[in-house]
């Protein structure tokens, strides 16, 4: 199952060339992570208030097409892996026509904040994540 | 030759966990790109005013250590490749103790703005870039 | 008539003190301006593509209460004045309990972009703005 | 005595109209506040680590001229008032030619973070602030 959410390209995302300034894509991806965690019942602000977070440790991004002020995007998220404390998260940003504009894969680690010590993903969170795990996942390594 | 520049972690780079919010690292890397292009005589704002820019097409990032408000960082840049119109750019962010906190490799394409058509890197710019090409580069592919 | 829109306080709005970093409030107010202009049929990205914009010339803000990650805000907008080319825009940010957390008044000028020459607000735009003009407006000065 | 610091308009400060997006000016003003507090021996990140901060409660801004990517600005800061726990801070942003592009007056309150309870400015900090108090201050009200 993919998590999918519409996002509008805002004026403040765009640069003097009239296109999304690339770090702003990561704001959008982080918004999707927040929307996802809230959707499955584990809002990120409550995790953090409770002393844990999901800092990122690895991120690979392909920028495949430009996005412009006013574009209505769809952003999808699937999990590629749910490990002991880490998760693989695959994002795609689709433009109005359905063409993929950006593809990213991040690895985040369920950790104590602010010191960053990895902790095991609790069973309740794990169960809530499971429906979004790609069935063709390369497996738990 | 490495290009190297000090950067201060500012209050606005940091998140409720007290550490740099990861998209803010890319603002810092982009500042280093701007500093580098200005240093070699091709300020980015003049390139853009002249109708070209260097949009990013691929980015791989390893987040190796947390950075906190007030940290004095050093960011280095080397070129891994200078192609017909693309360039490989390798960044490292070092903390106060010299430990690497982030390593990133980006590929940018010298292009017409805003439409993004790749154009050949002009010889003058190429000559200015050359001293920063890693001698152990994997070669022009 | 007030224009009103819900906005969520996102992780990226918040600072190491755990509250909205104050410049981020202006991102939210600008989003409301975008939402408003789209709502009345004049999306800002189309205005800009057509060569006009509404840069701000004056802004007064009272910060009345803190906003935290995860807070569900309501932001309202009313016009205090519609002049030849300028507009007064009054914003309020309300927290979950309805308490006002921020009150701001901005003056924007309908202008040619990017050079900023003021131009008369076209009649069609003026008609669309009119329902949002406060009836107790201090008048066109 | 005025505190004065050079700031470069960066690509990321600018919007699709090619000028500084107005909330970005407040990032620059906050950087100047950080630079100022560090300069007088009270770095903001150490204040916050020690449990106090200076949240803003009131801000008035006049936007007097556009700033563009690559502009070299000078930003000045003077204190208009040092009260029991609040301070008035007057900023000016000057362009390359010395013309004032932005004038802002903020009131900040020395407070416990994150709960925001105002506390008396300690005598050592007060002494360090004093040289930057405008002699023509309208007085302590």
């Amino acid at each position: 199952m993919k998590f999918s959410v519409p996002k509008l390209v805002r004026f403040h995302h765009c640069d003097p060339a009239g296109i999304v300034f690339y770090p702003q894509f990561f704001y959008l991806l982080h918004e999707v992570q927040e929307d996802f965690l809230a959707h499955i019942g584990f809002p990120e602000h409550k995790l953090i208030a409770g002393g844990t977070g999901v800092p990122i440790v690895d991120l690979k991004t392909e920028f495949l097409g430009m996005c412009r002020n006013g574009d209505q995007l769809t952003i999808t998220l699937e999990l590629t892996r749910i490990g002991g404390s880490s998760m693989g998260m695959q994002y795609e940003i689709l433009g109005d026509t359905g063409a993929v504009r950006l593809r990213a894969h991040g690895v985040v680690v369920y950790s104590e904040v602010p010191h960053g010590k990895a902790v095991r993903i609790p069973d309740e969170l794990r169960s809530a994540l499971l429906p979004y795990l790609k069935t063709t996942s390369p497996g738990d390594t």
Side-chain angles (χ1 to χ4, degrees), chain A residues 5 8-10 12 33 35 45 52-53 76 94 96 108 111 118 126 137 139 141:
Chain A
V5 64
L8 179 64
V9 178
R10 296 281 183 176
H12 76 257
Q33 177 182 295
D35 295 341
H45 66 275
T52 54
T76 65
L94 310 172
D96 307 57
V108 301
S111 308
R126 189 176 298 269
S137 162
T141 56

Side-chain angles (χ1 to χ4, degrees), chain A residues 98-114:
Chain A
V100 180
R101 304 271 183 89
L102 181 147
R103 188 174 288 128
H105 187 270
V107 177
V108 301
V109 179
Y110 191 75
S111 308
E112 290 173 3
V113 286

Side-chain angles (χ1 to χ4, degrees), chain A residues 11-22 24 67-69:
Chain A
F11 186 77
H12 76 257
H13 296 126
C14 296
D15 67 20
I19 58 174
V20 173
F21 181 46
Y22 86 83
Q24 290 285 345
C67 297
R68 295 175 195 284
N69 190 10

Side-chain angles (χ1 to χ4, degrees), chain A residues 7 23 34 107 130:
Chain A
K7 294 283 172 190
E34 290 171 60
V107 177
L130 213 60

Side-chain angles (χ1 to χ4, degrees), chain A residues 26 60-65 90-91 100-105:
Chain A
F26 302 115
K60 291 182 179 63
T61 311
E62 297 166 88
F63 303 87
L64 302 166
Q90 184 159 51
Y91 296 92
V100 180
R101 304 271 183 89
L102 181 147
R103 188 174 288 128
H105 187 270

Side-chain angles (χ1 to χ4, degrees), chain A residues 67-138:
Chain A
C67 297
R68 295 175 195 284
N69 190 10
D71 282 2
Q72 186 64 61
L73 308 175
T74 300
I75 308 186
T76 65
L77 169 60
E78 280 181 298
L79 304 180
T80 56
R81 180 174 174 277
I82 306 173
S85 58
S86 71
M87 277 186 278
M89 306 181 85
Q90 184 159 51
Y91 296 92
E92 285 190 345
I93 299 183
L94 310 172
D96 307 57
T97 63
V100 180
R101 304 271 183 89
L102 181 147
R103 188 174 288 128
H105 187 270
V107 177
V108 301
V109 179
Y110 191 75
S111 308
E112 290 173 3
V113 286
H115 296 295
K117 192 191 157 202
V119 288
R120 188 170 169 80
I121 298 171
D123 287 346
E124 287 191 3
L125 174 53
R126 189 176 298 269
S127 300
L129 293 167
L130 213 60
Y132 298 93
L133 182 63
K134 276 178 90 164
T135 49
T136 58
S137 162

